[in-house]
Amino acid sequence: MTLRRVNVIILVLLAVAFLIIVQRNLLNLSDFLHKEHQDAGMILPFESEPSPNLRPEYERKGEEIPILITAAEERLGAVVAAINSVYQNSKANIVFTIVTQNDTVDHLKTWLSDTRLKYIKHKIVVFNPEHLKGKIPKDSLNLEAAKPLTFARFYLPLYIPEAEKAIYLDDDIIVQGDIQELYETNIKQGHAAAFSDDCDSASSKGIVRGAGNQNNYIGFLDFKKESIKKLGMRANTCTFNPGVIVANLTEWKNQNITQQLEHWMELNTKEDLYSKTLAESITSPPLLIVFYKHHSTIDPMWHVRHLGTTGAGNRYSLPFVKAAKLLHWNGHYKPWGRTSSFSDVWDKWYIPDPTGKFHPVRRHTEDK
């Protein structure tokens, strides 16, 4: 073999080695870029689609946190905002049970599947109106509080049969904290649920007092009726707000809470036990009776309420509202309406309706 041919072969081998080195360096660079962009949550410009690790959702593991919320057609935007706020502010393994009515199922499914909420774990359950047969006075049917879905919270073990513990949320709420913390609320032995007391320790610090809307039992029950007198309840006992419930479902079933609630609903249709003068709610009274001085307490910052009450919400400072773990617009003024306090906080979590049926109402829309 001539020297010239040997030199050519050596050059070819060196070229091949060089190409191999370059290829390896490029691969290493690609891996590095993937890692850097993955950490930043970005999609590389030369990828045709996100890799599984870069998709906007990850698999949530650990103990399931069951949450029940209702979905009325005319308030569907509220449900979407509430669910979005719960989900985005926690990495917990949340499973939503959404109780609705037949005419809302398709609309709800579209809203969930065509938006970022397509990643949530959920089941949709249709409320059976037979549950309420003979339990709601006929003259109450037109009340907002008498709408069937408001009673879904009475049937928590029915809708979440396998769980030992669960959370119920009204739809007019926004969660700003990690729902895992609320779920871990301590429920005392022998108690089936925890609520926010309307005279809790926070009132002395101006949190609830700032709303100017504390309540007591006489505002919900007629203490002149014999069935109420026999219970031995004090009329001036502070109430609790059932818009947020942390429930021990094992105790709930053992104590037949649902059956007890139904008993008082049925008795009211015969004896008219609820107050006519101070409160319109027909959902709260059975809960107030069954859980009288027999419930645990939720941290006040996990149920900052009265944002929908006239003038009350305006008494909260913006820093306080931002610090609250859960905001509740209970009252007539809702954050998707024209006159609510802190509607901009609610707007952050609202996801537009892909069907175009639901629109938050805002003052400026009238000026256009």
Side-chain angles (χ1 to χ4, degrees):
M1 181 179 297
T2 65
L3 180 61
R4 184 176 179 181
R5 183 174 296 178
V6 170
N7 289 338
V8 170
I9 293 173
I10 291 173
L11 288 173
V12 170
L13 291 175
L14 288 173
V16 170
F18 175 77
L19 291 173
I20 291 173
I21 291 170
V22 170
Q23 183 185 31
R24 287 181 178 178
N25 286 336
L26 287 173
L27 288 173
N28 290 335
L29 177 61
S30 178
D31 290 340
F32 172 77
L33 288 173
H34 271 269
K35 184 178 186 304
E36 288 295 305
H37 283 275
Q38 181 174 330
D39 291 341
M42 298 172 63
I43 298 173
L44 294 174
F46 50 80
E47 289 183 324
S48 60
E49 63 180 11
S51 67
N53 291 332
L54 297 179
R55 287 173 186 155
E57 179 52 22
Y58 55 88
E59 185 179 356
R60 300 190 181 201
K61 298 180 180 179
E63 180 185 7
E64 287 187 351
I65 296 182
I67 297 177
L68 186 140
I69 190 166
T70 60
E73 177 66 28
E74 67 277 11
R75 297 162 66 105
L76 212 50
V79 184
V80 167
I83 290 175
N84 189 37
S85 71
V86 172
Y87 193 71
Q88 299 297 336
N89 284 307
S90 177
K91 294 182 179 179
N93 187 12
I94 303 165
V95 181
F96 294 96
T97 296
I98 308 171
V99 182
T100 189
Q101 295 173 296
N102 278 317
D103 58 356
T104 306
V105 172
D106 289 341
H107 190 182
L108 176 60
K109 284 183 176 179
T110 300
W111 210 328
L112 296 180
S113 62
D114 290 0
T115 65
R116 74 188 72 161
L117 295 180
K118 63 186 174 183
Y119 297 108
I120 70 170
K121 290 182 182 178
H122 71 282
K123 62 178 179 178
I124 297 174
V125 182
V126 175
F127 184 83
N128 184 355
E130 287 296 311
H131 291 318
L132 304 181
K133 190 173 182 180
K135 301 182 183 70
I136 300 179
K138 292 181 180 179
D139 62 354
S140 299
L141 292 177
N142 293 325
L143 288 177
E144 177 75 19
K147 294 189 175 181
L149 293 178
T150 64
F151 296 94
R153 73 196 85 184
F154 289 13
Y155 300 93
L156 283 169
L158 177 66
Y159 296 123
I160 313 174
E162 303 301 324
E164 296 182 0
K165 193 175 184 181
I167 295 172
Y168 166 82
L169 298 174
D170 271 356
D171 59 5
D172 52 352
I173 63 98
I174 288 296
V175 171
Q176 300 185 129
D178 187 342
I179 202 72
Q180 179 86 41
E181 184 181 332
L182 178 62
Y183 183 71
E184 292 172 356
T185 294
N186 180 45
I187 301 179
K188 296 179 181 178
Q189 186 173 359
H191 287 179
F195 304 91
S196 290
D197 288 324
D198 286 324
C199 293
D200 56 26
S201 60
S203 63
S204 63
K205 301 174 184 177
I207 294 176
V208 176
R209 183 184 299 161
N213 190 27
Q214 293 184 9
N215 294 307
N216 53 36
Y217 268 58
I218 200 170
F220 290 86
L221 299 167
D222 187 346
F223 278 80
K224 295 178 182 179
K225 297 297 172 71
E226 192 62 29
S227 294
I228 300 299
K229 287 182 181 180
K230 288 180 180 179
L231 294 173
M233 298 186 301
R234 295 178 64 88
N236 64 348
T237 300
C238 287
T239 56
F240 52 80
N241 188 299
V244 177
I245 305 172
V246 183
N248 179 331
L249 297 185
T250 301
E251 280 294 333
W252 192 293
K253 288 181 279 192
N254 288 342
Q255 296 179 32
N256 296 315
I257 297 296
T258 297
Q259 289 74 17
Q260 290 188 57
L261 294 168
E262 289 183 325
H263 164 75
W264 287 104
M265 291 171 68
E266 291 172 355
L267 197 60
N268 178 60
T269 63
K270 302 170 184 175
E271 301 183 15
D272 203 17
L273 304 177
Y274 305 164
S275 172
K276 288 281 191 297
T277 56
L278 298 178
E280 293 183 347
S281 172
I282 66 171
T283 309
S284 294
L287 289 162
L288 293 174
I289 293 172
V290 172
F291 288 102
Y292 177 75
K293 292 190 174 181
H294 196 66
H295 66 274
S296 298
T297 304
I298 292 172
D299 180 335
M301 293 301 284
W302 267 104
H303 195 178
V304 173
R305 44 211 183 275
H306 307 303
L307 273 73
T309 306
T310 308
N314 292 326
R315 299 185 187 183
Y316 292 127
S317 69
L318 182 58
F320 174 73
V321 168
K322 288 183 176 180
K325 305 290 184 66
L326 183 149
L327 300 169
H328 188 184
W329 281 264
N330 58 310
H332 293 294
Y333 303 100
K334 302 304 180 185
W336 55 91
R338 289 191 179 90
T339 54
S340 168
S341 303
F342 301 106
S343 57
D344 55 325
V345 176
W346 184 87
D347 286 342
K348 285 168 41 180
W349 302 104
Y350 173 69
I351 300 174
D353 183 359
T355 71
K357 295 178 183 177
F358 183 95
H359 295 281
V361 179
R362 294 290 180 260
R363 289 187 186 91
H364 65 265
T365 59
E366 296 179 342
D367 299 330
K368 293 180 179 181

